[in-house]
């Protein structure tokens, strides 16, 4: 089993990896399919199903699909160019993707939110169709956005293509137990094993530069969020809070009367800065999803700015260790809120952050596995019930609390020798079972929980 660090940490745009990035990627893939067919395509249309329908407006899923059909991709997204493309489409009902003829597409009619039919493969389903000049369907594809920006066609999902089918890697651990066994046998750390796996697929310079870019985008996102105020889009009139909290914390620095627990406010400010940027449609890194994008960078920033002897040279070890844990969760359970609730998003992110922090603070593989388990265990059962389908309430604050739990989990693990009762594998399997049993109204549909008990205006 191999999931790259660049699979777990994707650079993209807000507000959602599964509801914004994934549909945009799916639409771009459909363009590639259209470029390969012998028919002359005249128009396109589509439908959104399940969670993509119920919370699609709040997540800008329709806009993401349209921009994907116009040729945009998350990792190279240009907001200004996207606005121009949307304005032109509204005026002309015409898409002009590269390598294809002009395509008729009326945004008000040709992309339908289907609230009645959930597709069988996953809660996040969408169907795209290409039509000829007579209006006959000449190409149809079903896509599933399975979380974290990962996208599979119906056939790929049936074939198990969400698992790796590339050449063998040196350390193919697919469970926490195997990870610990391989670490003990090889004498390597989790980060060293993960790095060896990455280097078996890509040259060293590419891996190093890619990891550095991941942190640079994360850091830039924090900095933007800490210096931007105002009200978030979407209609809930949620005010950005990270800047005000950060400004107050900076003003209090040097005050000997400051309570020790104030460090939690620093972590919350860093995490909220990221998720406020995400909610505003800014550039973020999936970690492992957009909805949970603030946890890992917050803990890294806490470590760099507040922990003595922290050094940027250890950042790759943090991110590689975190990616290894995220890969185990995705492979054996889920990182999708629409599939397993927020335990799969913020819970997974907290486990990843706890493992990464434990690693760079000198933890053994056993302590790292323990840290990840503690963090995930104490998110079990967490629902995904965003108010008005927006990645704002409770998502933004929830990232702050996920970061605080991650640091606490790493600290507890470092106080022990790695011996503990509940293995990470058992915790991951429990999360999978809880997700399977959880009512659909608590899995990113906004049909239950806070979403129906808080006024949407």
């Amino acid at each position: 089993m191999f999931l790259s660090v660049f699979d777990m940490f994707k650079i993209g745009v807000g507000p959602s990896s599964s509801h914004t990035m994934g549909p945009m990627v799916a639409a771009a893939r459909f363009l590639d399919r259209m470029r390969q067919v012998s028919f002359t395509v005249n128009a396109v249309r589509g439908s959104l199903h399940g969670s993509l329908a119920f919370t699609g407006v709040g997540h800008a899923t329709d806009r993401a699909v349209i921009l994907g059909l116009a040729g945009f991709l998350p990792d190279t997204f240009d907001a200004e160019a996207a606005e121009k493309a949307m304005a032109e489409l509204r005026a002309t009902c015409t898409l002009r993707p590269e390598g294809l003829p002009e395509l008729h597409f009326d945004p008000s009619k040709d992309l339908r939110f289907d609230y009645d039919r959930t597709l069988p493969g996953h809660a996040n389903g969408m169907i795209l169709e290409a039509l000829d000049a007579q209006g006959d369907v000449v190409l149809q594809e079903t896509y599933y956005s399975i979380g974290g920006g990962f996208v599979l066609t119906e056939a790929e999902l049936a074939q198990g293509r969400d698992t790796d089918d590339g050449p063998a890697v040196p350390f193919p651990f697919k469970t926490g137990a195997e990870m610990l066994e391989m670490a003990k046998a090889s004498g390597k750390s989790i980060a060293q094993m993960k790095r060896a796996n990455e280097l078996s697929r890509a040259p060293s310079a590419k891996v190093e530069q890619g990891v550095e870019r991941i942190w640079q985008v994360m850091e830039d996102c924090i900095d933007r969020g800490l210096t931007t105020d105002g009200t978030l889009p979407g209609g809930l009139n949620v005010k950005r809070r990270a800047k005000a909290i950060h400004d107050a914390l900076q003003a209090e620095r040097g005050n000997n009367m400051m309570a020790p627990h104030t460090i939690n406010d620093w972590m919350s400010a860093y995490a909220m800065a990221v998720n406020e940027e995400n909610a505003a449609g800014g550039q973020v890194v999936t970690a492992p999803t957009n909805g949970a994008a603030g946890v890992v960078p917050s803990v890294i920033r806490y470590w760099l700015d507040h922990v003595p002897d922290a050094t940027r040279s250890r950042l790759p070890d943090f991110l590689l260790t975190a990616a290894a844990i995220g890969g185990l969760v995705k492979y054996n359970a889920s990182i999708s809120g629409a599939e397993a609730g927020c335990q799969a998003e913020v819970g997974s992110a907290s486990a990843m952050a706890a493992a990464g922090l434990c690693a760079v603070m000198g933890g053994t593989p056993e302590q790292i596995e323990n840290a990840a388990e503690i963090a995930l265990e104490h998110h079990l059962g967490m629902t995904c019930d965003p108010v008005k389908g927006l990645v704002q309430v409770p998502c933004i604050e929830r990232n702050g609390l996920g970061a605080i739990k991650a640091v606490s989990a790493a600290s507890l693990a470092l106080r022990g020798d790695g011996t503990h009762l509940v293995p990470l594998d058992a915790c991951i399997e429990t999360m999978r079972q809880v997700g399977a049993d959880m009512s659909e109204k608590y899995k990113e549909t906004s049909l239950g929980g806070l979403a129906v008990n808080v006024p949407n205006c």
Side-chain angles (χ1 to χ4, degrees):
M1 191 278 293
F2 174 72
L3 279 167
S4 173
V5 63
F6 307 115
D7 289 326
M8 300 311 300
F9 297 112
K10 296 185 182 75
I11 296 170
V13 294
S16 172
S17 48
S18 60
H19 288 60
T20 311
M21 288 175 57
M24 188 181 294
V25 169
R29 287 186 61 181
F30 193 63
L31 290 182
D32 290 335
R33 286 289 313 277
M34 285 192 285
R35 293 183 183 109
Q36 296 166 3
V37 299
S38 57
F39 301 100
T40 299
V41 179
N42 181 261
V44 289
R45 68 187 181 197
S47 55
L48 304 171
H49 300 262
S51 181
L52 292 187
F54 286 111
T55 62
V57 174
H59 288 88
T61 303
D62 48 348
R63 175 184 167 86
V65 172
I66 292 166
L67 289 173
L69 291 171
F72 288 82
L73 285 169
D75 60 341
T76 57
F77 187 77
D78 183 324
E80 186 176 343
E83 286 301 323
K84 291 180 179 177
M86 289 296 294
E88 181 182 359
L89 177 62
R90 285 190 290 267
T92 66
C93 290
T94 301
L95 294 166
R96 296 179 175 84
E98 184 178 349
L100 285 166
E102 292 184 351
L103 302 172
H104 176 78
F105 183 87
D106 184 343
S108 65
K109 299 178 181 178
D110 293 328
L111 185 60
R112 184 168 54 90
F113 290 82
D114 190 334
Y115 302 104
D116 299 322
R117 182 163 65 115
T118 297
L119 301 181
H122 192 276
N124 294 332
M126 57 186 287
I127 298 172
L128 294 175
E129 296 177 333
L131 295 82
D132 62 16
Q134 287 74 43
D136 295 327
V137 176
V138 295
L139 179 66
Q140 177 179 296
E141 188 63 83
T142 298
Y143 293 97
Y144 293 107
S145 180
I146 62 173
F150 291 88
V151 173
L152 296 173
T153 65
E154 187 173 43
E156 289 169 345
L157 187 67
Q159 294 165 10
R161 285 289 298 280
D162 55 329
T163 56
D164 180 57
D165 58 359
V169 296
F171 300 98
F173 53 84
K174 60 182 181 293
T175 66
E178 290 179 357
M179 179 180 72
L180 293 179
E181 289 170 6
M182 291 181 189
K184 185 176 181 179
S186 66
K188 294 182 180 294
S189 68
I190 294 170
Q192 287 171 333
M193 293 192 297
K194 184 65 176 167
R195 183 178 285 106
N197 287 348
E198 296 290 340
L199 294 178
S200 72
R201 300 287 184 92
S204 176
K206 184 176 181 181
V207 172
E208 291 172 5
Q209 291 168 8
V211 170
E212 177 61 30
R213 187 180 178 224
I214 288 170
W215 170 241
Q216 190 61 61
V217 174
M218 286 180 170
E219 187 174 40
D220 290 346
C221 187
I222 292 174
D223 290 342
R224 287 195 311 274
L226 293 178
T227 55
T228 306
D229 53 19
T231 302
L232 294 171
L236 285 180
N237 296 317
V238 172
K239 292 183 178 180
R240 287 180 179 249
R241 297 165 57 201
K243 181 181 185 298
I245 295 171
H246 187 248
D247 289 348
L249 289 168
Q250 286 184 310
E252 294 168 6
R253 264 185 163 167
N255 182 351
N256 290 332
M257 300 299 291
M258 189 166 61
H261 68 252
T262 303
I263 191 61
N264 291 339
D265 298 342
W266 285 94
M267 285 186 276
S268 291
Y270 299 146
M272 291 168 67
V274 172
N275 285 87
E276 286 172 357
E277 281 295 293
N278 178 64
Q283 186 180 56
V284 299
V285 178
T286 64
T289 66
N290 282 32
V295 178
V296 169
S298 170
V299 175
I300 294 176
R301 185 68 167 258
Y302 156 77
W303 170 63
L304 287 174
D305 287 5
H306 301 273
V307 177
D309 301 324
T311 170
R312 289 179 70 102
S313 65
R314 297 294 309 281
L315 271 170
D317 289 344
F318 192 118
L319 290 169
L320 288 166
T321 304
I325 299 301
L328 294 180
V329 177
K330 183 183 185 304
Y331 181 78
N332 293 294
S334 176
I335 58 170
S336 168
E339 190 171 29
C342 199
Q343 58 172 359
E345 297 206 24
V346 171
S348 299
S350 190
M352 292 166 64
L357 181 62
C358 189
V360 296
M361 293 189 69
T364 64
E366 290 78 15
Q367 289 172 318
I368 292 167
E369 184 261 0
N370 187 15
E373 188 280 325
I374 293 170
L376 182 60
E377 178 182 329
H378 297 289
H379 284 87
L380 291 176
M382 183 172 282
T383 59
C384 182
D385 49 355
V387 177
K388 203 178 179 180
L390 300 169
V391 193
Q392 298 180 17
V393 179
C395 321
I396 294 171
E397 284 183 356
R398 188 169 283 177
N399 275 256
L401 274 292
I404 292 168
K405 285 185 181 181
V407 173
S408 296
S411 183
L412 284 172
L414 287 166
R415 295 288 183 186
D417 62 3
T419 304
H420 57 110
L421 182 63
V422 181
L424 175 60
D425 292 332
C427 191
I428 292 173
E429 172 58 17
T430 301
M431 191 260 274
R432 186 195 67 77
Q433 293 175 8
V434 170
D437 292 341
M438 187 181 289
S439 169
E440 293 299 316
K441 67 182 180 180
Y442 298 124
K443 295 194 282 190
E444 209 166 357
T445 60
S446 291
L447 296 176
L450 288 175
V452 299
N453 287 297
V454 175
N456 281 204
C457 60

